[in-house]
């Protein structure tokens, strides 16, 4: 279908107009679409299209690794370590109560590790006071030792609120206890109670009892045995016979 171009000219008579319309019709122009004149012989103007500018692909940003907090370096001398255990930097510093330091020679052949101070130990100013302490002293005397010859320490410098090592600090306190053993380098290590056994051996007391364990540390190796805590022996006197066997096994190894 053609379009009839329009033009601006003088009025046409009816005969001429009819003749032009017939010519346009024969040429295929049969529709008027514009009022303004157009040059129909000119090159057609190509429509300009604007393609949207493609967005550059987003450059993936490198993932920022989540860094675990660096573990606090522990003092590498016994004096500095014992001072640190009583400082505000120790894991138990926010607990209620009094922090108690280890006692005994730095070069002791036998180290004893318990779980934590008892309720009366803070006022007494030493680990293992009261009735458990008196029983402990008799146990040491039975194997030819005393508090003056053994190095006595606890996994927790303060007594936990529930009397048990908090689960969220168990690993950290175990690392500290093993570091302490490495500073003393004892030939024998007596672990009294389940918490001490778990800290050093990673094993429950019921499984650890009855045989020696080689404990490796940065300064060598110690022979350890796990046995009952004196407070348990007070509650369960029948267990004293088994405890005596543990002590004999440890001293037999040290005598070699």
């Amino acid at each position: 279908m053609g379009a009839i171009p329009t033009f601006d000219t003088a009025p046409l008579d009816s005969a001429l107009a009819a003749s032009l319309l017939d010519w346009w019709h024969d040429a295929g122009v049969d529709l008027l679409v514009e009022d303004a004149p157009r040059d129909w012989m000119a090159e057609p103007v190509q429509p300009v299209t604007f393609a949207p500018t493609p967005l550059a692909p987003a450059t993936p940003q490198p993932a920022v690794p989540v860094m675990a907090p660096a573990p606090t370096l522990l003092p590498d001398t016994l004096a500095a370590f014992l001072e640190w255990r009583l400082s505000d930097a120790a894991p138990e510093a926010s607990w209620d109560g009094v922090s108690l330091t280890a006692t005994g020679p730095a070069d002791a052949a036998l180290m004893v590790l318990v779980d934590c101070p008892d309720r009366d130990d803070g006022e007494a100013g030493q680990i293992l006071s009261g009735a458990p302490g008196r029983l402990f002293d008799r146990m040491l005397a039975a194997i030819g030792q005393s508090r003056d010859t053994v190095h006595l320490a606890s996994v927790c410098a303060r007594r936990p609120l529930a009397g048990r090592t908090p689960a969220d600090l168990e690993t950290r306190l175990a690392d500290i206890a093993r570091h302490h053993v490495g500073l003393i380098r004892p030939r024998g290590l007596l672990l009294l109670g389940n918490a001490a056994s778990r800290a050093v051996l990673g094993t429950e007391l019921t499984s650890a009892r009855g045989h020696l364990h080689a404990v490796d540390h940065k300064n060598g190796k110690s022979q350890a045995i796990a046995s009952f805590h004196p407070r348990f022996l007070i509650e369960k006197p029948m267990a004293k016979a088994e405890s005596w066997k543990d002590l004999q096994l440890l001293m037999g190894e040290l005598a070699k």
Side-chain angles (χ1 to χ4, degrees):
M1 177 183 297
I4 300 176
T6 61
F7 52 88
D8 184 16
T9 185
L12 299 175
D13 58 36
S14 59
L16 180 58
S19 176
L20 286 174
L21 290 174
D22 289 339
W23 186 87
W24 285 334
H25 184 273
D26 291 340
V29 178
D30 58 3
L31 181 65
L32 179 65
V33 296
E34 295 179 346
D35 293 330
R38 173 182 295 194
D39 184 358
W40 293 95
M41 302 302 294
E43 291 291 332
V45 178
Q46 297 297 325
V48 179
T49 58
F50 296 91
T53 304
L55 296 177
T59 303
Q61 297 298 317
V64 178
V66 178
M67 302 297 292
T72 303
L73 294 178
L74 298 174
D76 56 3
T77 65
L78 181 61
F81 173 78
L82 295 182
E83 182 179 355
W84 177 84
R85 288 300 279 126
L86 300 179
S87 72
D88 291 340
E92 315 93 321
S94 62
W95 300 0
D96 293 335
V98 178
S99 294
L100 295 177
T101 189
T103 58
D107 59 351
L110 177 61
M111 179 175 178
V112 182
L113 186 69
V114 298
D115 53 358
C116 64
D118 285 327
R119 294 185 184 279
D120 299 331
D121 289 353
E123 184 176 349
Q126 68 174 8
I127 301 169
L128 284 177
S129 65
R134 290 190 292 272
L135 177 55
F136 175 66
D137 291 338
R138 293 197 297 271
M139 292 168 63
L140 291 180
I143 58 175
Q145 301 284 333
S146 70
R147 290 182 188 247
D148 294 331
T149 61
V150 303
H151 189 85
L152 174 61
S154 59
V155 175
C156 302
R158 294 189 184 186
R159 180 176 177 80
L161 181 61
R164 295 183 179 180
T165 306
D168 60 332
L169 286 178
E170 188 173 4
T171 299
R172 178 59 174 160
L173 290 170
D175 291 340
I176 293 171
R178 288 192 291 267
H179 181 77
H180 194 168
V181 173
L183 293 176
I184 300 300
R185 307 184 303 275
R187 291 179 56 199
L189 178 61
L190 179 59
L191 307 172
L192 296 179
N194 192 54
S197 177
R198 285 172 56 87
V200 176
L201 304 178
T203 307
E204 301 292 335
L205 176 62
T206 53
S207 301
R209 274 199 62 253
H211 53 275
L212 290 165
H213 303 264
V215 177
D216 293 320
H217 44 76
K218 63 180 181 179
N219 292 315
K221 181 180 295 186
S222 301
Q223 294 296 325
I225 193 162
S227 191
F228 302 111
H229 193 286
R231 77 170 75 94
F232 178 83
L233 296 177
I234 293 174
E235 297 174 0
K236 305 289 184 182
M238 295 295 293
K240 290 182 180 180
E242 295 300 315
S243 176
W244 175 238
K245 292 179 182 178
D246 296 334
L247 295 177
Q248 287 180 308
L249 181 60
L250 178 60
M251 296 312 296
E253 180 65 22
L254 296 179
K256 294 180 179 179

mmCIF file with all atom_site columns, all heavy atoms in Angstrom, residues 95-109:
data_model
loop_
_atom_site.group_PDB
_atom_site.id
_atom_site.type_symbol
_atom_site.label_atom_id
_atom_site.label_alt_id
_atom_site.label_comp_id
_atom_site.label_asym_id
_atom_site.label_entity_id
_atom_site.label_seq_id
_atom_site.pdbx_PDB_ins_code
_atom_site.Cartn_x
_atom_site.Cartn_y
_atom_site.Cartn_z
_atom_site.occupancy
_atom_site.B_iso_or_equiv
_atom_site.pdbx_formal_charge
_atom_site.auth_seq_id
_atom_site.auth_comp_id
_atom_site.auth_asym_id
_atom_site.auth_atom_id
_atom_site.pdbx_PDB_model_num
ATOM 1   N N   . TRP A 1 95  ? 37.243 -15.281 87.749 1.00 0.00 ? 95  TRP A N   1
ATOM 2   C CA  . TRP A 1 95  ? 36.472 -16.117 88.673 1.00 0.00 ? 95  TRP A CA  1
ATOM 3   C C   . TRP A 1 95  ? 36.546 -15.539 90.084 1.00 0.00 ? 95  TRP A C   1
ATOM 4   O O   . TRP A 1 95  ? 37.486 -14.838 90.443 1.00 0.00 ? 95  TRP A O   1
ATOM 5   C CB  . TRP A 1 95  ? 37.016 -17.543 88.692 1.00 0.00 ? 95  TRP A CB  1
ATOM 6   C CG  . TRP A 1 95  ? 36.998 -18.251 87.381 1.00 0.00 ? 95  TRP A CG  1
ATOM 7   C CD1 . TRP A 1 95  ? 36.547 -17.771 86.183 1.00 0.00 ? 95  TRP A CD1 1
ATOM 8   C CD2 . TRP A 1 95  ? 37.499 -19.568 87.121 1.00 0.00 ? 95  TRP A CD2 1
ATOM 9   N NE1 . TRP A 1 95  ? 36.715 -18.707 85.202 1.00 0.00 ? 95  TRP A NE1 1
ATOM 10  C CE2 . TRP A 1 95  ? 37.298 -19.820 85.742 1.00 0.00 ? 95  TRP A CE2 1
ATOM 11  C CE3 . TRP A 1 95  ? 38.087 -20.557 87.914 1.00 0.00 ? 95  TRP A CE3 1
ATOM 12  C CZ2 . TRP A 1 95  ? 37.667 -21.026 85.141 1.00 0.00 ? 95  TRP A CZ2 1
ATOM 13  C CZ3 . TRP A 1 95  ? 38.454 -21.759 87.323 1.00 0.00 ? 95  TRP A CZ3 1
ATOM 14  C CH2 . TRP A 1 95  ? 38.241 -21.992 85.956 1.00 0.00 ? 95  TRP A CH2 1
ATOM 15  N N   . ASP A 1 96  ? 35.564 -15.884 90.880 1.00 0.00 ? 96  ASP A N   1
ATOM 16  C CA  . ASP A 1 96  ? 35.596 -15.502 92.284 1.00 0.00 ? 96  ASP A CA  1
ATOM 17  C C   . ASP A 1 96  ? 36.647 -16.330 93.021 1.00 0.00 ? 96  ASP A C   1
ATOM 18  O O   . ASP A 1 96  ? 36.975 -17.449 92.612 1.00 0.00 ? 96  ASP A O   1
ATOM 19  C CB  . ASP A 1 96  ? 34.224 -15.739 92.933 1.00 0.00 ? 96  ASP A CB  1
ATOM 20  C CG  . ASP A 1 96  ? 33.166 -14.799 92.378 1.00 0.00 ? 96  ASP A CG  1
ATOM 21  O OD1 . ASP A 1 96  ? 33.536 -13.718 91.893 1.00 0.00 ? 96  ASP A OD1 1
ATOM 22  O OD2 . ASP A 1 96  ? 31.981 -15.169 92.418 1.00 0.00 ? 96  ASP A OD2 1
ATOM 23  N N   . GLY A 1 97  ? 37.142 -15.791 94.103 1.00 0.00 ? 97  GLY A N   1
ATOM 24  C CA  . GLY A 1 97  ? 38.090 -16.546 94.912 1.00 0.00 ? 97  GLY A CA  1
ATOM 25  C C   . GLY A 1 97  ? 39.511 -16.057 94.788 1.00 0.00 ? 97  GLY A C   1
ATOM 26  O O   . GLY A 1 97  ? 39.791 -14.968 94.288 1.00 0.00 ? 97  GLY A O   1
ATOM 27  N N   . VAL A 1 98  ? 40.405 -16.901 95.260 1.00 0.00 ? 98  VAL A N   1
ATOM 28  C CA  . VAL A 1 98  ? 41.835 -16.575 95.322 1.00 0.00 ? 98  VAL A CA  1
ATOM 29  C C   . VAL A 1 98  ? 42.609 -17.520 94.420 1.00 0.00 ? 98  VAL A C   1
ATOM 30  O O   . VAL A 1 98  ? 42.366 -18.729 94.409 1.00 0.00 ? 98  VAL A O   1
ATOM 31  C CB  . VAL A 1 98  ? 42.349 -16.701 96.776 1.00 0.00 ? 98  VAL A CB  1
ATOM 32  C CG1 . VAL A 1 98  ? 43.841 -16.409 96.844 1.00 0.00 ? 98  VAL A CG1 1
ATOM 33  C CG2 . VAL A 1 98  ? 41.574 -15.769 97.697 1.00 0.00 ? 98  VAL A CG2 1
ATOM 34  N N   . SER A 1 99  ? 43.538 -16.971 93.639 1.00 0.00 ? 99  SER A N   1
ATOM 35  C CA  . SER A 1 99  ? 44.412 -17.806 92.818 1.00 0.00 ? 99  SER A CA  1
ATOM 36  C C   . SER A 1 99  ? 45.560 -18.329 93.670 1.00 0.00 ? 99  SER A C   1
ATOM 37  O O   . SER A 1 99  ? 46.150 -17.584 94.463 1.00 0.00 ? 99  SER A O   1
ATOM 38  C CB  . SER A 1 99  ? 44.979 -17.008 91.631 1.00 0.00 ? 99  SER A CB  1
ATOM 39  O OG  . SER A 1 99  ? 43.960 -16.657 90.742 1.00 0.00 ? 99  SER A OG  1
ATOM 40  N N   . LEU A 1 100 ? 45.861 -19.597 93.510 1.00 0.00 ? 100 LEU A N   1
ATOM 41  C CA  . LEU A 1 100 ? 46.946 -20.225 94.270 1.00 0.00 ? 100 LEU A CA  1
ATOM 42  C C   . LEU A 1 100 ? 48.022 -20.706 93.319 1.00 0.00 ? 100 LEU A C   1
ATOM 43  O O   . LEU A 1 100 ? 47.727 -21.364 92.310 1.00 0.00 ? 100 LEU A O   1
ATOM 44  C CB  . LEU A 1 100 ? 46.412 -21.394 95.104 1.00 0.00 ? 100 LEU A CB  1
ATOM 45  C CG  . LEU A 1 100 ? 45.422 -21.022 96.212 1.00 0.00 ? 100 LEU A CG  1
ATOM 46  C CD1 . LEU A 1 100 ? 44.911 -22.281 96.909 1.00 0.00 ? 100 LEU A CD1 1
ATOM 47  C CD2 . LEU A 1 100 ? 46.066 -20.085 97.227 1.00 0.00 ? 100 LEU A CD2 1
ATOM 48  N N   . THR A 1 101 ? 49.249 -20.391 93.633 1.00 0.00 ? 101 THR A N   1
ATOM 49  C CA  . THR A 1 101 ? 50.356 -20.787 92.787 1.00 0.00 ? 101 THR A CA  1
ATOM 50  C C   . THR A 1 101 ? 50.861 -22.172 93.175 1.00 0.00 ? 101 THR A C   1
ATOM 51  O O   . THR A 1 101 ? 50.525 -22.714 94.240 1.00 0.00 ? 101 THR A O   1
ATOM 52  C CB  . THR A 1 101 ? 51.512 -19.770 92.899 1.00 0.00 ? 101 THR A CB  1
ATOM 53  O OG1 . THR A 1 101 ? 52.500 -20.067 91.899 1.00 0.00 ? 101 THR A OG1 1
ATOM 54  C CG2 . THR A 1 101 ? 52.159 -19.827 94.273 1.00 0.00 ? 101 THR A CG2 1
ATOM 55  N N   . ALA A 1 102 ? 51.661 -22.749 92.295 1.00 0.00 ? 102 ALA A N   1
ATOM 56  C CA  . ALA A 1 102 ? 52.267 -24.046 92.577 1.00 0.00 ? 102 ALA A CA  1
ATOM 57  C C   . ALA A 1 102 ? 53.339 -23.887 93.656 1.00 0.00 ? 102 ALA A C   1
ATOM 58  O O   . ALA A 1 102 ? 53.876 -22.796 93.875 1.00 0.00 ? 102 ALA A O   1
ATOM 59  C CB  . ALA A 1 102 ? 52.881 -24.617 91.301 1.00 0.00 ? 102 ALA A CB  1
ATOM 60  N N   . THR A 1 103 ? 53.648 -24.981 94.313 1.00 0.00 ? 103 THR A N   1
ATOM 61  C CA  . THR A 1 103 ? 54.672 -24.977 95.356 1.00 0.00 ? 103 THR A CA  1
ATOM 62  C C   . THR A 1 103 ? 55.636 -26.134 95.125 1.00 0.00 ? 103 THR A C   1
ATOM 63  O O   . THR A 1 103 ? 55.312 -27.090 94.426 1.00 0.00 ? 103 THR A O   1
ATOM 64  C CB  . THR A 1 103 ? 54.046 -25.121 96.751 1.00 0.00 ? 103 THR A CB  1
ATOM 65  O OG1 . THR A 1 103 ? 53.285 -26.344 96.808 1.00 0.00 ? 103 THR A OG1 1
ATOM 66  C CG2 . THR A 1 103 ? 53.121 -23.954 97.054 1.00 0.00 ? 103 THR A CG2 1
ATOM 67  N N   . GLY A 1 104 ? 56.812 -26.024 95.733 1.00 0.00 ? 104 GLY A N   1
ATOM 68  C CA  . GLY A 1 104 ? 57.788 -27.098 95.633 1.00 0.00 ? 104 GLY A CA  1
ATOM 69  C C   . GLY A 1 104 ? 58.934 -26.762 94.712 1.00 0.00 ? 104 GLY A C   1
ATOM 70  O O   . GLY A 1 104 ? 58.898 -25.770 93.968 1.00 0.00 ? 104 GLY A O   1
ATOM 71  N N   . PRO A 1 105 ? 59.977 -27.599 94.736 1.00 0.00 ? 105 PRO A N   1
ATOM 72  C CA  . PRO A 1 105 ? 61.190 -27.332 93.962 1.00 0.00 ? 105 PRO A CA  1
ATOM 73  C C   . PRO A 1 105 ? 60.934 -27.299 92.458 1.00 0.00 ? 105 PRO A C   1
ATOM 74  O O   . PRO A 1 105 ? 60.085 -28.023 91.939 1.00 0.00 ? 105 PRO A O   1
ATOM 75  C CB  . PRO A 1 105 ? 62.116 -28.497 94.332 1.00 0.00 ? 105 PRO A CB  1
ATOM 76  C CG  . PRO A 1 105 ? 61.551 -29.067 95.594 1.00 0.00 ? 105 PRO A CG  1
ATOM 77  C CD  . PRO A 1 105 ? 60.087 -28.839 95.528 1.00 0.00 ? 105 PRO A CD  1
ATOM 78  N N   . ALA A 1 106 ? 61.689 -26.442 91.779 1.00 0.00 ? 106 ALA A N   1
ATOM 79  C CA  . ALA A 1 106 ? 61.584 -26.367 90.325 1.00 0.00 ? 106 ALA A CA  1
ATOM 80  C C   . ALA A 1 106 ? 62.217 -27.572 89.652 1.00 0.00 ? 106 ALA A C   1
ATOM 81  O O   . ALA A 1 106 ? 61.913 -27.862 88.486 1.00 0.00 ? 106 ALA A O   1
ATOM 82  C CB  . ALA A 1 106 ? 62.267 -25.089 89.832 1.00 0.00 ? 106 ALA A CB  1
ATOM 83  N N   . ASP A 1 107 ? 63.103 -28.273 90.378 1.00 0.00 ? 107 ASP A N   1
ATOM 84  C CA  . ASP A 1 107 ? 63.781 -29.444 89.802 1.00 0.00 ? 107 ASP A CA  1
ATOM 85  C C   . ASP A 1 107 ? 63.302 -30.742 90.459 1.00 0.00 ? 107 ASP A C   1
ATOM 86  O O   . ASP A 1 107 ? 64.034 -31.738 90.503 1.00 0.00 ? 107 ASP A O   1
ATOM 87  C CB  . ASP A 1 107 ? 65.286 -29.308 89.955 1.00 0.00 ? 107 ASP A CB  1
ATOM 88  C CG  . ASP A 1 107 ? 65.718 -29.168 91.419 1.00 0.00 ? 107 ASP A CG  1
ATOM 89  O OD1 . ASP A 1 107 ? 64.833 -29.004 92.292 1.00 0.00 ? 107 ASP A OD1 1
ATOM 90  O OD2 . ASP A 1 107 ? 66.936 -29.228 91.689 1.00 0.00 ? 107 ASP A OD2 1
ATOM 91  N N   . ALA A 1 108 ? 62.062 -30.732 90.946 1.00 0.00 ? 108 ALA A N   1
ATOM 92  C CA  . ALA A 1 108 ? 61.537 -31.915 91.640 1.00 0.00 ? 108 ALA A CA  1
ATOM 93  C C   . ALA A 1 108 ? 61.480 -33.117 90.703 1.00 0.00 ? 108 ALA A C   1
ATOM 94  O O   . ALA A 1 108 ? 61.104 -32.986 89.530 1.00 0.00 ? 108 ALA A O   1
ATOM 95  C CB  . ALA A 1 108 ? 60.142 -31.617 92.192 1.00 0.00 ? 108 ALA A CB  1
ATOM 96  N N   . ALA A 1 109 ? 61.830 -34.288 91.226 1.00 0.00 ? 109 ALA A N   1
ATOM 97  C CA  . ALA A 1 109 ? 61.740 -35.516 90.447 1.00 0.00 ? 109 ALA A CA  1
ATOM 98  C C   . ALA A 1 109 ? 60.295 -35.958 90.283 1.00 0.00 ? 109 ALA A C   1
ATOM 99  O O   . ALA A 1 109 ? 59.949 -36.657 89.325 1.00 0.00 ? 109 ALA A O   1
ATOM 100 C CB  . ALA A 1 109 ? 62.557 -36.629 91.100 1.00 0.00 ? 109 ALA A CB  1
#
